[in-house]
Amino acid sequence: MGRETEDMIVNQKDMLQKEGYLEAVTHLLFQLADDDFILAYRGSEWLGLAPHIEEDVAFSSISQDTMGHAAMFYSLLEELGAGDADKLAHARLAKDRKNAILLELANGPGTYLNEPQYDWAFTVVRNFFYVQAKKVKILSLKNTSYQPMAEAAVKVNMELYYHLLHWKTWFMQLIGAGGEARTRMEKAVTDVFKDLGGLFSQGATAVAFGENQLIDTEEQLIAAWKHEMTPIFDSLEMKMPKKFGMEKGDGRNGEHTQDLEAAIETLSEVYRLDVKASW
Amino acid sequence: MLREKVLAALQSVKDPEIDSISILELGMLEDITFHQDRISIKLIPTFMGCPALDIIKKNVEETVAKVKADEKIEVIFALHPPWTSDRITDTGRERLKEFGIAPPPIYIAESGEWQADCPYCGSTYTTLENLFGPTACRSILYCKACKNPFEAMKPVSTLM
Ligand SMILES: [Zn+2]
């Protein structure tokens, strides 16, 4: 181990001693992990239902990647003593989750097993907007004061490039197609903006994140997102609202919908069976 | 001496999905440390979503255990430094081709675009069919020269 690395580890230990630091890092990691986890779950529900076979393959690889990112954030939490990573992912109640509400909403009416009528336009918009938001957060996290999170950010960032390219292509093509495709996409865009604010929210922990130099402020992240998205909106002659909504509540503070309750019930059921089976 | 033996053992551990290439040729080995009570092997994962990590870990433990009986083997997956596709060795690139997979392109345009040559006939006359193949690490391309579809390993770099 090099001298530099040793110094870094000593620094890291000092920081974790600092009052409120550990708690702030833990909260941020839960926000990141829970966001990826629930969206990857929603993605996995599309298996066999995507518009065509190639998309089915692509979407499931992306969901797998996203689940990998969630697993990495949960294992950083495990290292901080928050509990077993697998349990954190599968066995926490809805009210303890910190994900943005936008990401937990069902893919559409029906359930995976019972007449799913999933909304592809909504899925494309939600994923594209989310991946761009994740990208600006990850870029900010490259400079976070918590070194293990900065290292994870470098890793995630390289893979995000491809996710972003994928969803951007869908977004541009469907809106560019005009006609019914465009109408449905415009409706989806309006719907997603109603709760997009929740993605950037840092909840009650916003001040602590700033004080501990963990991540940029909500306003900075939103500005960075708009900066990336504006040229795309312009080229498609679409309007972006000035303010993003949070109509269904702030997931960072544990506010959630029935959709999350139902999802957690399903996935924790599977998890309990798995745990039993491995005994 | 022991180090060489461990390296030889690691050379025999293949990527569970592409069994012509070893984890060494993929550039996954970062460090081997010989402690008094254990051998610690630090690996860096390629793509996060690639599910083969558990299998690789198990195979490394079993294979290295044969080198020195009664030795405790510890396999650590580290995030730092991040794996990038330029860690694949020249031999590794050849092994991928043998398997019908184009190695990750070395040149990436500033826009992020890249091209991969056909692993079968070497033609540069190829098109990207699907960015995501069956695994997140690979894309599907089509060779217009020999009319074969093929997979290419995606380039990943910290510049992206
Ligand atoms: Zn060819």
Side-chain angles (χ1 to χ4, degrees), chain A residues 54 61 155 157-159 161-162, chain B residues 45-46 48 112 130 133 155 160:
Chain A
E54 290 80 12
S61 318
K155 182 91 189 122
N157 186 51
M158 294 191 290
E159 300 183 10
Y161 170 80
Y162 291 105
Chain B
T46 55
M48 288 313 297
N130 207 336
M160 281 173 153

Side-chain angles (χ1 to χ4, degrees), chain A residues 54-55 57-58 61-62 64-65 68-69 72 76 135 142 148 151-152 154-159 161-163 165-166, chain B residues 45-51 79-80 82-84 111-114 130-136 154-158 160:
Chain A
E54 290 80 12
E55 179 55 28
V57 171
S61 318
I62 293 178
Q64 216 173 70
D65 247 6
H69 298 167
M72 183 178 58
L76 290 181
K135 176 95 183 170
K142 281 180 164 186
E151 287 168 7
V154 172
K155 182 91 189 122
V156 170
N157 186 51
M158 294 191 290
E159 300 183 10
Y161 170 80
Y162 291 105
H163 298 193
L165 196 57
H166 180 85
Chain B
T46 55
F47 273 67
M48 288 313 297
C50 285
L79 294 175
H80 187 79
W83 184 85
T84 46
S111 63
E113 278 166 58
W114 47 268
N130 207 336
L131 193 55
F132 286 90
T135 78
K154 286 185 185 134
V156 282
S157 122
T158 48
M160 281 173 153

Side-chain angles (χ1 to χ4, degrees), chain B residues 117-123 125-126 142-148 150:
Chain B
D117 299 346
C118 175
Y120 303 114
C121 72
S123 170
Y125 193 37
T126 61
Y142 180 76
C143 175
K144 288 186 171 173
C146 71
K147 310 217 181 312
N148 276 308
F150 65 93

Side-chain angles (χ1 to χ4, degrees), chain A residues 211-231:
Chain A
E211 281 172 357
N212 293 295
Q213 281 110 47
L214 291 180
I215 190 167
D216 284 335
T217 64
E218 295 169 6
E219 292 73 24
Q220 285 169 321
L221 296 171
I222 290 173
W225 190 90
K226 285 183 172 169
H227 179 78
E228 293 297 325
M229 287 300 212
T230 303

